[in-house]
Amino acid sequence: MLEVFVNFICAFMLALLGFLIIRNYSIYNTKITIKTIIIFIINSLLIVTIHYINYNAFSSLLNFIINTITYKIVFNDSIEESFIKTGLLTILLLVSDIISLIIQINFTTLNDIQNNVFIYLISNILVIVIAKILIFIKPIRTLFKKCYKILSSKDLKLNATFIILVIIGASAVLYNLFLNYKFNIRFISDIVIIVSLIIIGIIFTNNRDTYNKLSSQYDILLQNVQTFEEWIEREQFTRHEYKNQLAVLYAMSSEKEVKNKIEEIINQNLNIKNEVVNNLKDLPKGGLKGLLYYKTIIAEKNKLKVTVDISIKPKGILSKLSKEKINTISKIIGIYYDNAIEAAKESRKKTLLFEIYELKDKVNIVISNTFKKSSLIDNHFEKGISSKGSGHGNGLYYASRILKANNWLEQKQEIIDNYYVETISIRKNTSNK
């Protein structure tokens, strides 16, 4: 009976510890209430029951599921958010278990822990103390807060699935550590595996952070260029009417100086050429047109010779794409257009061509630019790879991730007549899906 009671107390302390740690790194203000205590009691009873029915490597997974449901109820989260919270907590406890095991292995045996309730209690208290100390270390607390913020911001299902896989792998290895309970090569290799899994988790989180930031930046850009798109078209209409009025004044005036001034005003150009505006006018509204206005202005400010050629049907494939798909295409084009501008700037001819043309079963978007041969790299889709040096190259990596996630898009690169040509194709049979 004492053994059951000690197991219950240990389970209850771990549930309470988990609550305090999650509240710390997720910045929740949830307070402990009678309801919370009752939930933790039920949680502890379930975990103790599992421990006595069949304790094995899968017990940790069952405990994880019970804790996930418990913290979902306590913090009133979605199941995905709770998976992420409980996953991070479990990883912290795994690290605490390893540190505790390294300490205990010099003073106790596996038989002591399994059969002596007081040693078992001390062992659990040691894990709790270590976990509490770890979360109070500022860099670790900051890391957990950052991981939680990143993993809970987007793609919750994917992030939760990854965390579960890491926990399953680490828990299985930790179980082997306890069975071995000897400081030998196997013990060291098991710890290396667990640490490697945790490092993989951190790398995954960092990649998600980069992806999320780039995605957010392009979402903001697309929101802004839609306003810019409307402004350009309104400005073109206003300017056209303005020129018509000046033409009337020109015809009415007999003063040479006045006529010369009117001619000068009429011949002034906007920041974006009328030719470009006219070529883009057939594109559907929704952000893509505004993005191309914006990128073309940037290209011309960099003194590039820009040619835009659009040949699409008024009610063709592009016009039938959903807003979400237009945003996806816009993000990819924005990245490739930026890279084309950078490459063309370094070249001697400084030329950039942008084309969209519709065939029978697909639309091709083609960006061609002159380039400096020494800046051409083969592995440009890898994260961080760029001819611009360290810290660049994330855009193309982000574009490759988008392309992999959208099988209705195709992409290829080639060099034709000293032009680097990037082609994105939209297949017709997926335009309405």
Side-chain angles (χ1 to χ4, degrees), residues 302-315:
N302 281 281
K303 299 180 180 178
L304 301 182
K305 290 176 280 186
V306 182
T307 302
V308 177
D309 185 15
I310 309 295
S311 180
I312 58 172
K313 299 172 185 176
K315 295 184 179 180

Side-chain angles (χ1 to χ4, degrees), residues 416-429:
I416 303 174
D417 296 332
N418 295 319
Y419 280 84
Y420 185 86
V421 182
E422 192 81 52
T423 305
I424 305 107
S425 300
I426 305 163
R427 295 202 302 271
K428 181 179 180 179
N429 59 355

Side-chain angles (χ1 to χ4, degrees), residues 368-385:
S368 310
N369 59 273
T370 52
F371 62 93
K372 189 178 178 182
K373 288 185 179 179
S374 61
S375 67
L376 193 64
I377 50 177
D378 295 326
N379 54 342
H380 62 288
F381 276 142
E382 294 181 21
K383 187 173 182 288
I385 298 294

Side-chain angles (χ1 to χ4, degrees), residues 8 12 117 255 266 341:
F8 173 80
F12 185 84
V117 291
E255 296 289 331
I266 290 174
I341 291 170

